Structures are given as structure tokens and as C-alpha cells.
Amino acid sequence: MRYHSSGNIPQKRHTVFKSPEDNFYYEQLFGTEGFHGISSLLYHIHRPTQIKEVKLYKDATPQIAVAKNIQPRMFKGKDVTPEDDFLESRKILMLNNDLKMGLAKPRKSTGYFYKNAHMDELFFVHEGKGVLKTFVGDLEFGVGDYLIIPRGTIYQMEFETENNVLFFIESNSPIYTPKRYRNEFGQLLEHSPFCERDIIVPTLYAPKDEKGEFLIKVKKEDMIWDITYATHPFDVVGWDGFFYPFKFNIKNFEPITGRVHQPPPVHQTFEAHNFVVCSFVARLFDYHPLAIPAPYNHSNIDSDEVLFYTEGDFMSRNHIDLMDFTLHPGGIVHGPHPGAMERSIGVKETHEYAVMVDPFRPLLLTEEAMKVEDPSYLTSWLE
Ligand SMILES: [Fe+2]
């Protein structure tokens, strides 16, 4: 993350700041991890605290089907049901105490505002196009974009398309770029597979000075609340700091390759407490004359592994459709499908794109996941 400033802000923080009409602007500290994490200061036309009503919208607690899983599994993303509404469309497939993840196929833009009050959200756009509108500005998005939306961000999703497919994560802890790629000042280092130019910050447009009834759906601890505010939440005239939503496109991830097979950490893109997110991208394969580009069999003892296949042919698997999820639970050896290792020898490059999530604690599976499971995956390595 880096310092960013947008719109009008006072020369000194926590001092009088007024409009040309001599009205006060109202300052808000918006940050994460108490007062020691990153934060921004926002300046509102109206007090951001003017609640009119709070009502329970729904209990969105995921229904657990498998609490303790040891099987390799495959879930067919193409079979996940689309829904008109953005929140209804979010089908959580797997979760633990650190994260929830799944697939959303929302058909319509959100008329209301939304805020996840206690989890960071990551969206990976598999299909669709639109604008993420937030109280610190707008981000246009399209296929291949990761959208990182920190907890507390008030936002709307405006889709230009109807067939939208979003892989999503809700994270209990903040989602950051990997620490090993940042220096002590936070700057991304030369060996990082992406740099600040690849990270797109929201553009702030004219503030909305409106009073009335503004519905913000607020998610906290699996409950979604309808909170009606008296002023438009996008009334920010300016802000500065380190805490804001951003986007990063997977095609801007510069792959790290080697003479022999490189381990998964070279694909790492984001980190949070107890899980990492990696991007598998089009790349040249290993160039030792006897290199085996397919991964070796391995038992990822300390994490589960989830892959979401988004573009191209995946070289280590025989029967993968785009939008499929595979889950390889910790402690169970997994590896390429029969024939995949042999096929990979001598191949020069791959055009695969996939997002991998490695949670360090075992995943629970939901009823929604069971609806789209392909049970034949378990025995798909038999020769
Ligand atoms: Fe693996």
C-alpha cells in the first residue's frame, strides 16, 4: 500500500475544514487493525453517523455439510446458480475461521449500498464488466481483475453485463501484498512480480450532497442488517492515506520462472492471516533440458489447497472446465493426473490462468458446495 490523496483535504489533520459556503466538513478516520494499522482520513459533507433505522435483513450464516474433510474434491462453478441480487448471489462453498470463499453470479447492479463491517473482501472477476463505486471513488473492472475491498468500505456494484461470475473471499484479517516483496518503507521491491504501477487506486468524483433515506446493507458476523442513513454515503470531498480499495489485474502478474519447477510461493499475490492467494499465469516453462514442468506429487501437510480455474488449459489436470474449483486437503498427497507429467516434458509454455488459495487451517464445506460437487474427482488418479 502507498500514500494516496484525492479531492480536497485540509493542510493539517484534525483542524477546522469548511466548504466555500462556510459549512463544516466532518472528518472520519477509516482504518484497520486498531490504531496501528493502515488508515485514511475522509472528509464528509455531512456527519457519517446519522442513522435513522436498523433492521435485520437476514441471517446469512453458511450451512455446513462437511465439517471435517479429508477427500480431494471438485466443485463445478458452472453449476452455481446465478441470482439477480449481488448479496443473494454470493454462494459460500468453503470456509474456516480465517476466511469464506465461493462464487457469485449476480445479474443486476446493486440499488442499495453495502458494507462488510468486519471482513475484507476480495473479488476475482472471471466474467463481467462494471464499476465498483465506493465512498473513496470508483474503480472500473473487467475480466481478470482482483478487487480488494477493505472492511468498512461502503460500496455499490454497477454491472454493464448480466453474465457476471465473481470468485470471492471474505477474510477475517486484512488482505495485503506479500511482506517479503516490500521493503521497510512499504515499497514493492525489484523481485516482486508486480509493482505500484499495476495497483489501481479509485478515482474520486464529485461528492453527493443529498439528504433523505439511504439504505446500507451491513454484514457483520454473518448477519446482514438494513441500516437507513439520513445522508448519501458518497459525500466525501477528499481523503488521504494508505487505506482504500484497489484493483490489480492477473495479466499484470509477471511470472517467476526457473530452469526446474518453481514452488507455489513464486505465484503468491496476496497474504492474510493464515492464508495466501496465488496467481497462476501464462508463462514459459522450466528450461533445464530434462525438466518436468508438471508439479511433483506433494502432501501439503500444513494447508488445504484450492484452485479456481479461470482461463486456458490446465496442464496438470485431465478434465477441468473453467470455473471449476478443486480442493486438495492438507495431509493427502496430490499430484498431476495420469499422463499429465509425461505430457508436460519438453513443453515450452503454458497459457493457463488460475487463482489458488491456500488456507493454513482445514476448510469446512457448505451445503452449497455439495450441490455442485463432482464426486468422480476422488478416484480420477486411478490408472
Ligand atoms: Fe498442490
Side-chain angles (χ1 to χ4, degrees):
M1 306 310 294
R2 63 186 190 275
Y3 175 78
H4 187 77
S5 171
S6 215
N8 295 320
I9 55 171
Q11 195 279 324
K12 197 162 185 64
R13 61 186 175 179
H14 320 322
T15 58
V16 169
F17 182 35
K18 287 184 164 181
S19 71
E21 297 77 34
D22 206 34
N23 296 317
F24 280 109
Y25 289 132
Y26 299 93
E27 189 180 52
Q28 176 194 353
L29 177 70
F30 168 58
T32 195
E33 295 187 296
F35 286 90
H36 75 274
I38 53 176
S39 63
S40 292
L41 283 168
L42 279 53
Y43 296 88
H44 295 272
I45 294 173
H46 300 286
R47 287 176 220 280
T49 47
Q50 299 183 55
I51 295 171
K52 281 190 160 178
E53 191 181 33
V54 178
K55 282 195 305 194
L56 181 63
Y57 168 62
K58 72 182 284 191
D59 180 345
T61 307
Q63 299 303 304
I64 305 301
V66 179
K68 293 182 180 177
N69 175 55
I70 197 162
Q71 291 188 28
R73 309 231 184 204
M74 176 191 271
F75 305 108
K76 306 299 285 181
K78 71 178 169 56
D79 295 336
V80 169
T81 318
E83 308 274 359
D84 283 349
D85 179 71
F86 174 62
L87 292 179
E88 295 296 326
S89 76
R90 289 159 75 149
K91 312 289 185 195
I92 293 165
L93 304 176
M94 294 164 260
L95 70 151
N96 64 20
N97 284 333
D98 302 309
L99 81 164
K100 301 180 169 77
M101 69 178 127
L103 203 64
K105 296 180 181 175
R107 289 199 200 95
K108 303 256 188 288
S109 303
T110 48
Y112 49 81
F113 301 91
Y114 169 70
K115 169 168 98 169
N116 197 325
H118 88 161
M119 296 184 111
D120 279 28
E121 295 186 347
L122 174 154
F123 289 97
F124 175 79
V125 183
H126 171 76
E127 214 172 302
K129 195 171 184 246
V131 184
L132 168 69
K133 299 190 147 193
T134 83
F135 66 171
V136 292
D138 295 359
L139 282 168
E140 288 179 15
F141 63 82
V143 171
D145 279 332
Y146 286 102
L147 297 167
I148 306 291
I149 309 175
R151 65 205 54 206
T153 305
I154 300 171
Y155 72 87
Q156 291 181 309
M157 285 291 231
E158 210 169 88
F159 296 106
E160 283 175 34
T161 42
E162 200 164 79
N163 294 325
N164 305 297
V165 181
L166 311 169
F167 164 64
F168 68 89
I169 295 174
E170 295 181 29
S171 170
N172 254 328
S173 56
I175 298 172
Y176 297 133
T177 52
K179 196 167 186 181
R180 70 176 186 284
Y181 290 139
R182 285 183 268 123
N183 66 19
E184 63 185 298
F185 305 100
Q187 185 176 15
L188 290 164
L189 292 162
E190 283 294 318
H191 71 294
S192 170
F194 50 88
C195 80
E196 283 80 4
R197 294 182 197 181
D198 302 316
I199 292 173
I200 312 297
V201 179
T203 304
L204 186 67
Y205 293 106
K208 299 266 197 284
D209 179 4
E210 292 174 26
K211 290 183 176 175
E213 312 252 305
F214 300 89
L215 173 62
I216 306 183
K217 289 190 182 286
V218 178
K219 187 170 184 185
K220 188 177 180 188
E221 296 175 303
D222 292 325
M223 307 301 264
I224 301 176
W225 303 88
D226 279 347
I227 305 187
T228 306
Y229 277 84
T231 59
H232 198 297
F234 296 173
D235 69 341
V236 171
V237 297
W239 62 272
D240 77 332
F242 286 67
F243 194 56
Y244 45 82
F246 64 89
K247 74 169 178 178
F248 168 71
N249 193 285
I250 195 168
K251 302 237 162 150
N252 284 324
F253 187 94
E254 296 304 327
I256 297 168
T257 58
R259 224 160 82 90
V260 293
H261 189 81
Q262 297 295 297
V266 300
H267 306 284
Q268 194 187 342
T269 313
F270 301 110
E271 69 187 8
H273 180 63
N274 277 344
F275 74 91
V276 296
V277 178
C278 301
S279 303
F280 285 85
V281 302
R283 62 194 182 278
L284 295 179
F285 271 147
D286 321 326
Y287 50 89
H288 184 287
L290 295 176
I292 299 176
Y296 31 78
N297 300 296
H298 60 283
S299 47
N300 36 306
I301 293 294
D302 296 315
S303 73
D304 282 14
E305 277 186 23
V306 174
L307 267 163
F308 173 71
Y309 303 86
T310 185
E311 190 181 319
D313 277 334
F314 219 71
M315 55 96 169
S316 61
R317 299 273 168 265
N318 289 345
H319 305 290
I320 290 289
D321 291 324
L322 297 183
M323 279 189 258
D324 280 351
F325 288 86
T326 54
L327 162 62
H328 296 115
I332 298 294
V333 178
H334 68 281
H337 271 135
M341 184 266 281
E342 295 83 345
R343 269 199 314 270
S344 76
I345 298 167
V347 177
K348 296 287 179 237
E349 60 188 342
T350 170
H351 299 284
E352 68 195 21
Y353 286 85
V355 177
M356 183 168 81
V357 183
D358 285 4
F360 303 157
R361 293 195 283 195
L363 289 166
L364 293 70
L365 313 176
T366 65
E367 303 274 1
E368 293 291 346
M370 293 300 106
K371 285 184 200 166
V372 297
E373 192 190 8
D374 176 353
S376 70
Y377 189 64
L378 177 65
T379 54
S380 62
W381 286 266
L382 284 175
E383 296 188 78

